[in-house]
Amino acid sequence: MVRADYRLRSVAADDERLEAYARLVVEVGLNLQPGQLLAISARLEHAPLARAVARAAYAAQARYVDVLYADPQVQRALIEHAADGDLGYSPPWLVSRFRSLGAEHGALLKITGDAEPEAFAGLDGGRVGRARMHAVDEASLALTDGVSNWTIAGYPNEGWARTIFGEPDVERLWEAVATCVRLDEPDPAAAWAAHIATLEQRAATLDERRFDRLRYRGPGTDLTVGLHPETHWLTALDTSAGIRHIANLPTEEVFTTPDARRTEGTVRSTLPLYVQGTAVHDLVLRFEAGRVVQIGASAGEDVIRAHIGTDDGAGRLGEVALVDRHSRVGTTGLTFHETLFDENASSHLAIGISSLEGVVGAAALSPEERHARGINHSSIHTDFMIGSPELEVDAVTASGETVPLLRRGDWQL
Amino acid sequence: MVRADYRLRSVAADDERLEAYARLVVEVGLNLQPGQLLAISARLEHAPLARAVARAAYAAQARYVDVLYADPQVQRALIEHAADGDLGYSPPWLVSRFRSLGAEHGALLKITGDAEPEAFAGLDGGRVGRARMHAVDEASLALTDGVSNWTIAGYPNEGWARTIFGEPDVERLWEAVATCVRLDEPDPAAAWAAHIATLEQRAATLDERRFDRLRYRGPGTDLTVGLHPETHWLTALDTSAGIRHIANLPTEEVFTTPDARRTEGTVRSTLPLYVQGTAVHDLVLRFEAGRVVQIGASAGEDVIRAHIGTDDGAGRLGEVALVDRHSRVGTTGLTFHETLFDENASSHLAIGISSLEGVVGAAALSPEERHARGINHSSIHTDFMIGSPELEVDAVTASGETVPLLRRGDWQL
């Protein structure tokens, strides 16, 4: 019945939903301040949300809204034809864009919901992996560590719906996204405040216990991840340049920074991962002394191999995150084939750069100093999902006490 | 019959036509050289051509192709809501983009064919006129004077077709555009070489006569435009950093640089003009001593008034161009509501910056030195159409001899 009602929505109601979503992004996700610059990274198919966010941002007294529409088909032409030495070219004006934003403490929005998650299918995987703008990515990632208020949000579109449902049922996807981001609540902002308070409480409980390491066991997974001794557990509620913002819409995780020297064992990813326009299926990584030493995948192996070869930190963990099965995203029962959503239905890990906010004092350290202290640095940050009902997650204290955290997807602490 | 044939074109044939057009843009319009950067300015609805050009450019060994998709709906939100002082904000990274391209002698392509020529309808005309990125526009225009090989080409899309035909008949528009750009020829590149040679011959003939001024008479028009004494007549065949390129596809004009101090009288525009997302109808300008002193229009007057108020040079002529009625564009019988096409079916003038190549030595002068010598400088360059069968154009020599140039649209010289 709900679906039928939704299908009869008028254009005006659709507009209203889009405008409400845009306000949520601007007010709750970004907490945009008067006079701020806002840079939006989008794909062409995200134009309706980019435009609605621009309207909401100017209504909130943004100084200027810059929308950069990336086009994977143009990038595909580069990968197919460019000289090998030009694959990693970073246009200086794109570096300048992020540096200018940093200097002015501008806000950042990334819109996801990939209409073409396999845009680079059939291309040489090594070239796909090497076709990354390192300098642009570094300048962009630098903003997400306490410099800019930022968020990521998904926009339902035909291509994304087709990936999930096998048909372009955008309305069904809209319903799912609205559920995940609490747009179905009478007062979404209030619902978000309550939700974030719950996650913050969970992080505080984990923090009090000062665990030394996490232990994961499940089909294909037997992994120990050392936590950094100066670590804190965090939520997506972040404070950047004094502005509290929620960096992911949706978010259901608590996460922290591992010691990049202390991951041991094997982990199997439980959901497909999309890296640089390529689907990676059945990823298996084996770690020794913090570092990936073996990589397997039933599809996309050459791309993930090149991706992990990007730099030293790309083969070490930068994040461990725990999600229980009762999350809003999990209750939809969907695999979204989109990290922003799937990582909030499933415990996950990330290779690449650490969130500096997870470690006291880390923001003041150079990349080399961080590396020496086991705080990972890289030009990538790529999450992959490892959660399942079969996955058992324990925390272990320095004295060897084992405390169950997740059983059958239920939170134990 | 031809139309019927076209309508039955297969997808493969459409792709072939698009790829042939992209090659024409890269090889004939830009004459792109191996190792060059290429910056493309496009709208979202131009994506298929932008992508095809990117493929053709990489096939021609481009180093990197940057597509910047502008979104008038985001710009509209700025105009509606931004603080007055922020309307003219020039993002430094966009200035940096054109400066980087200049430093590296990159190539530039602008794709036109506006799906929303009246995107800013209903907004405050003064704010529309003031919402221009002067620093970005200046950096961009600086590249078109001998620094970069550049061209402009149109992409048939539904919105543009609707503006012309009242219905989204894209196939009919494709036929017209293909005719205008000689894609209907068995060897388009050879057809272009022959066509440009004809125009170059016409320019040489005008040059030999060393005319002092042009005289225009027609309904609502009685205008004298002084030519610059050091002027040359030009075609869109241009040489930038040693690379010969054709700056407009299509092009049918010969043009030169007027003396910005010597325009006198009144001129009436014969086609609608689209400025900053606004249609300007029945534009009438009166000049005294080179400068616009009176502005009239039946629609869009506030926008054209603010546009002409942009800077000192925006109210003086920067170009005079002659087109006869036998041009490829003219033979389609269409009003394209798009300057690139309409200006090549009609004699026209432009307010704003002069082409420096029209005046010997001008490129070495500062804007102030140019101004002192009657070579116009501005951050705008806006063409408007004045041609019609009724318009009589004469050239006058320094000694007062009058030579007819156009009668009933036919070339006389």
Side-chain angles (χ1 to χ4, degrees):
Chain A
M1 285 306 287
V2 173
R3 270 186 65 180
D5 282 342
Y6 265 99
R7 273 157 209 284
L8 294 170
R9 291 172 69 93
S10 67
V11 171
D14 282 351
D15 285 354
E16 211 172 278
R17 181 171 60 181
L18 184 64
E19 300 299 327
Y21 192 20
R23 279 198 307 278
L24 185 77
V25 167
V26 168
E27 293 167 13
V28 174
L30 295 171
N31 187 16
L32 192 77
Q33 302 296 304
Q36 274 201 299
L37 301 177
L38 169 61
I40 301 178
S41 296
R43 298 278 175 86
L44 307 191
E45 61 269 18
H46 303 150
L49 181 59
R51 292 163 175 177
V53 168
R55 288 191 291 273
Y58 281 119
Q61 299 178 52
R63 179 169 163 214
Y64 179 73
V65 180
D66 185 76
V67 183
L68 189 65
Y69 289 105
D71 187 340
Q73 292 301 325
V74 172
Q75 172 80 349
R76 187 180 166 96
L78 169 88
I79 298 167
E80 280 191 292
H81 298 294
D84 215 62
D86 292 338
L87 277 181
Y89 178 70
S90 273
W93 52 93
L94 294 185
V95 177
S96 154
R97 178 172 182 261
F98 288 114
R99 293 215 177 127
S100 294
L101 280 161
E104 307 228 20
H105 292 292
L108 279 182
L109 166 66
K110 182 177 175 181
I111 304 179
T112 65
D114 199 338
E116 303 173 280
E118 300 195 64
F120 302 157
L123 298 183
D124 177 293
R127 284 176 62 86
V128 171
R130 288 194 300 280
R132 291 189 55 249
M133 299 180 178
H134 293 236
V136 176
D137 292 346
E138 291 223 25
S140 160
L141 282 170
L143 298 190
T144 60
D145 257 315
V147 177
S148 289
N149 42 329
W150 60 281
T151 196
I152 309 181
Y155 178 67
N157 59 74
E158 285 193 6
W160 186 19
R162 199 178 289 112
T163 302
I164 301 174
F165 306 122
E167 55 177 343
D169 191 344
V170 176
E171 186 52 40
R172 187 174 166 203
L173 179 54
W174 250 117
E175 288 169 44
V177 168
T179 300
C180 292
V181 300
R182 295 175 158 74
L183 263 186
D184 56 353
E185 297 276 354
D187 183 347
W192 270 95
H195 171 56
I196 288 291
T198 305
L199 292 175
E200 287 278 302
Q201 182 52 52
R202 183 175 289 183
T205 303
L206 285 163
D207 249 4
E208 278 163 22
R209 302 293 294 265
R210 310 301 321 148
F211 293 120
D212 175 68
R213 55 194 182 273
L214 300 181
R215 177 84 194 276
Y216 298 86
R217 280 168 305 176
T221 291
D222 187 355
L223 188 77
T224 301
V225 179
L227 299 181
H228 204 276
E230 294 146 324
T231 207
H232 282 282
W233 285 88
L234 301 172
T235 71
L237 174 69
D238 199 358
T239 301
S240 301
I243 303 166
R244 284 162 64 96
H245 61 102
I246 298 174
N248 287 185
L249 300 178
T251 185
E252 301 281 349
E253 60 179 319
V254 292
F255 65 97
T256 191
T257 301
D259 184 329
R261 301 162 298 192
R262 292 174 56 213
T263 312
E264 301 284 348
T266 300
V267 64
R268 177 186 292 272
S269 182
T270 50
L271 284 175
L273 165 68
Y274 295 86
V275 180
Q276 297 177 243
T278 310
V280 179
H281 289 278
D282 306 314
L283 176 66
V284 178
L285 298 177
R286 190 161 68 80
F287 290 83
E288 280 178 18
R291 189 152 194 180
V292 172
V293 293
Q294 207 177 334
I295 301 168
S298 65
E301 184 179 314
D302 45 358
V303 173
I304 190 70
R305 197 174 283 281
H307 191 69
I308 287 174
T310 300
D311 50 38
D312 179 71
R316 297 176 181 273
L317 294 185
E319 177 184 320
V320 293
L322 300 173
V323 180
D324 71 59
R325 72 183 171 90
H326 302 287
S327 88
R328 280 273 182 137
V329 184
T331 56
T332 66
L334 296 173
T335 297
F336 285 85
H337 299 267
E338 178 60 66
T339 295
L340 175 66
F341 287 77
D342 291 335
E343 74 161 13
N344 284 304
S346 168
S347 292
H348 56 275
L349 302 171
I351 46 174
I353 193 169
S354 299
S355 167
L356 300 186
E357 284 141 289
V359 188
V360 177
L365 304 178
S366 71
E368 294 70 27
E369 289 169 323
R370 282 182 237 153
H371 181 77
R373 289 175 62 176
I375 307 162
N376 201 25
H377 183 74
S378 172
S379 70
I380 72 158
H381 179 97
T382 302
D383 297 271
F384 59 99
M385 279 52 82
I386 63 170
S388 73
E390 293 77 31
L391 184 73
E392 300 195 340
V393 185
D394 294 327
V396 185
T397 64
S399 62
E401 183 199 354
T402 294
V403 178
L405 295 183
L406 284 169
R407 289 290 183 274
R408 294 164 308 280
D410 292 327
W411 191 249
Q412 303 292 307
L413 201 62
Chain B
M1 284 306 286
V2 173
R3 270 187 64 181
D5 282 341
Y6 264 99
R7 275 159 207 283
L8 293 170
R9 291 172 69 93
S10 66
V11 171
D14 282 352
D15 285 354
E16 212 172 275
R17 180 171 62 182
L18 183 64
E19 302 298 327
Y21 192 20
R23 279 198 307 277
L24 185 76
V25 167
V26 168
E27 293 167 13
V28 174
L30 296 170
N31 188 17
L32 193 76
Q33 302 296 301
Q36 274 202 297
L37 299 178
L38 170 59
I40 302 177
S41 297
R43 298 278 175 88
L44 306 192
E45 61 269 18
H46 302 149
L49 182 58
R51 293 162 175 177
V53 168
R55 288 191 290 272
Y58 282 119
Q61 300 178 52
R63 179 170 162 213
Y64 179 74
V65 180
D66 186 76
V67 183
L68 190 65
Y69 289 105
D71 187 341
Q73 291 302 325
V74 171
Q75 172 80 350
R76 186 180 165 96
L78 170 88
I79 297 166
E80 280 190 292
H81 298 293
D84 217 62
D86 292 337
L87 276 180
Y89 178 70
S90 274
W93 53 93
L94 293 185
V95 177
S96 153
R97 179 172 182 261
F98 288 115
R99 293 212 178 130
S100 294
L101 279 161
E104 307 228 19
H105 291 294
L108 278 182
L109 166 65
K110 182 178 176 182
I111 304 178
T112 65
D114 200 337
E116 303 173 281
E118 300 194 63
F120 303 156
L123 299 183
D124 177 293
R127 284 177 61 87
V128 171
R130 289 194 300 281
R132 290 189 57 251
M133 299 180 179
H134 293 235
V136 176
D137 292 347
E138 291 222 25
S140 160
L141 281 170
L143 298 190
T144 61
D145 256 315
V147 177
S148 289
N149 42 328
W150 60 281
T151 196
I152 309 182
Y155 178 68
N157 59 73
E158 285 194 6
W160 185 19
R162 198 177 291 114
T163 302
I164 301 174
F165 306 122
E167 54 177 343
D169 191 344
V170 177
E171 187 51 42
R172 188 174 165 204
L173 179 53
W174 251 116
E175 288 168 45
V177 168
T179 300
C180 293
V181 301
R182 296 175 158 74
L183 264 186
D184 56 352
E185 297 275 353
D187 182 345
W192 269 96
H195 171 55
I196 289 290
T198 305
L199 292 175
E200 287 278 302
Q201 183 52 52
R202 182 174 291 182
T205 303
L206 285 164
D207 250 3
E208 278 162 24
R209 302 294 293 265
R210 310 300 322 148
F211 293 121
D212 175 68
R213 55 194 183 274
L214 300 180
R215 178 85 193 274
Y216 297 87
R217 279 168 305 178
T221 291
D222 187 354
L223 187 78
T224 301
V225 179
L227 300 180
H228 203 275
E230 294 146 325
T231 206
H232 283 282
W233 285 88
L234 301 173
T235 72
L237 174 67
D238 199 358
T239 301
S240 301
I243 303 165
R244 284 161 64 96
H245 60 104
I246 297 173
N248 287 183
L249 300 179
T251 185
E252 300 281 349
E253 62 180 317
V254 292
F255 65 97
T256 191
T257 301
D259 184 329
R261 301 162 298 194
R262 292 176 56 215
T263 312
E264 301 283 349
T266 300
V267 64
R268 177 186 293 271
S269 182
T270 49
L271 285 177
L273 165 68
Y274 295 86
V275 180
Q276 297 179 242
T278 310
V280 179
H281 289 278
D282 305 314
L283 176 66
V284 178
L285 297 178
R286 190 161 69 80
F287 291 82
E288 279 179 18
R291 188 150 195 182
V292 172
V293 293
Q294 206 176 333
I295 302 168
S298 66
E301 185 179 313
D302 46 357
V303 172
I304 191 71
R305 197 173 283 280
H307 191 68
I308 287 174
T310 301
D311 50 38
D312 180 72
R316 297 176 182 273
L317 293 186
E319 177 184 320
V320 293
L322 300 173
V323 180
D324 71 60
R325 71 183 171 90
H326 303 287
S327 88
R328 280 274 181 136
V329 184
T331 55
T332 66
L334 295 173
T335 298
F336 285 84
H337 299 267
E338 178 60 65
T339 295
L340 175 66
F341 287 77
D342 291 334
E343 74 161 13
N344 284 304
S346 169
S347 291
H348 56 275
L349 302 171
I351 46 174
I353 192 168
S354 298
S355 167
L356 299 185
E357 284 141 290
V359 188
V360 177
L365 303 178
S366 71
E368 294 71 28
E369 290 170 322
R370 283 182 237 154
H371 181 78
R373 289 175 62 176
I375 307 162
N376 202 24
H377 183 73
S378 171
S379 70
I380 72 159
H381 178 96
T382 302
D383 297 271
F384 58 100
M385 279 51 83
I386 63 171
S388 73
E390 294 76 31
L391 184 73
E392 301 195 340
V393 185
D394 293 328
V396 186
T397 64
S399 61
E401 183 199 354
T402 294
V403 179
L405 296 183
L406 284 169
R407 290 289 183 276
R408 294 165 308 282
D410 291 327
W411 191 247
Q412 303 292 307
L413 202 61

